[in-house]
Amino acid sequence: MQQNIIVMGVSGSGKSTIGSMIARELDLEFLDADDFHPKSNKEKMAAGTPLTDEDRLPWLKTLQQQLERPHIVLACSALKTSYRDVLDPDRNHLWVFLNGSREVIAQRMSERKGHFMSKSLLDSQIDTLEVPKGVIEVNIDQAPEDIVTQILNDLQTQE
Ligand SMILES: Nc1ncnc2c1ncn2[C@@H]1O[C@H](COP(=O)(O)OP(=O)(O)OP(=O)(O)O)[C@@H](O)[C@H]1O
Ligand SMILES: O=C(O)[C@H](O)[C@@H](O)[C@H](O)[C@H](O)CO
């Protein structure tokens, strides 16, 4: 099956921004996992209620089916190892982890306008995150262009 690219990290880490830039650079299809959340999940997060494993499982399964198509960059939080196992059971895809301090991410969430995600959920996102191993990891405290350049370089060495 085709190797797709999955950009992961907590809410506000830059997955949609960076993922869409990578897709443009590589002429791939960009998918934002947020677009696949049911209304109920979005309402929970907007109300400041963290999602549960049960909330996320149908969403993750839908995303896994999307990843069976080729030429995709997916932006998805994929916070837990078990979530990543649903998305990529055969460890086939290329994973990029956007890592940053709570302060940097909180600042970015506070400056973001019109997004449904409650800023109050950042700590639960960080607490839920199980840091992935053996993936491309990038520090987000730099310009988007520099992050993308680093990722593209790292992707080349992985292929
Ligand atoms: N490298 C960067 N430098 C400065 N601002 C950034 C950077 N990357 C993203 N941003 C800004 O930070 C905010 C969060 O980015 P983005 O929405 O892409 O994150 P996300 O991980 O997709 O969030 P969510 O999972 O909540 O959708 C946005 O306002 C975005 O414009
Ligand atoms: O797994 C989750 O809790 C959610 O997917 C968040 O991590 C997303 O970032 C949310 O969709 C807000 O954009």
Side-chain angles (χ1 to χ4, degrees):
M1 182 180 23
Q2 167 86 20
Q3 267 191 328
N4 289 316
I5 299 168
I6 306 170
V7 180
M8 65 161 285
V10 301
S11 181
S13 58
K15 300 182 298 298
S16 304
T17 303
I18 301 303
S20 57
M21 290 173 71
I22 292 170
R24 207 165 29 250
E25 284 292 321
L26 298 179
D27 194 23
L28 299 173
E29 178 185 359
F30 174 65
L31 294 181
D32 192 328
D34 288 353
D35 297 334
F36 294 84
H37 271 306
K39 188 163 172 285
S40 56
N41 281 4
K42 291 190 175 184
E43 286 169 347
K44 272 188 92 166
M45 291 184 276
T49 307
L51 299 182
T52 63
D53 291 349
E54 292 68 30
D55 292 327
R56 294 188 176 107
L57 190 55
W59 170 67
L60 292 164
K61 285 181 176 172
T62 302
L63 294 168
Q64 188 276 328
Q65 288 162 357
Q66 291 292 324
L67 288 167
E68 286 176 356
R69 293 188 293 119
H71 315 309
I72 285 173
V73 176
L74 171 68
C76 178
S77 44
L79 297 173
K80 290 185 179 179
T81 303
S82 60
Y83 300 166
R84 299 189 284 270
D85 290 343
V86 173
L87 290 171
D88 189 12
D90 302 326
R91 295 279 186 287
N92 183 56
H93 301 305
L94 294 166
W95 286 83
V96 177
F97 172 43
L98 300 183
N99 194 9
S101 69
R102 187 192 179 290
E103 290 68 31
V104 166
I105 298 173
Q107 177 65 25
R108 293 190 179 158
M109 289 182 89
S110 65
E111 290 166 357
R112 182 169 64 177
K113 300 286 177 270
H115 193 284
F116 66 84
M117 187 70 169
S118 165
K119 295 184 256 311
S120 65
L121 280 179
L122 178 56
D123 287 332
S124 82
Q125 290 275 300
I126 293 168
D127 293 345
T128 305
L129 176 66
E130 295 168 0
V131 174
K133 298 180 180 64
V135 302
I136 294 170
E137 180 172 334
V138 188
N139 185 309
I140 62 168
D141 195 9
Q142 52 185 318
E145 296 72 21
D146 295 337
I147 292 172
V148 169
T149 299
Q150 182 182 331
I151 292 169
L152 294 177
N153 291 340
D154 289 350
L155 285 170
Q156 272 190 341
T157 56
Q158 291 229 354
E159 280 169 356

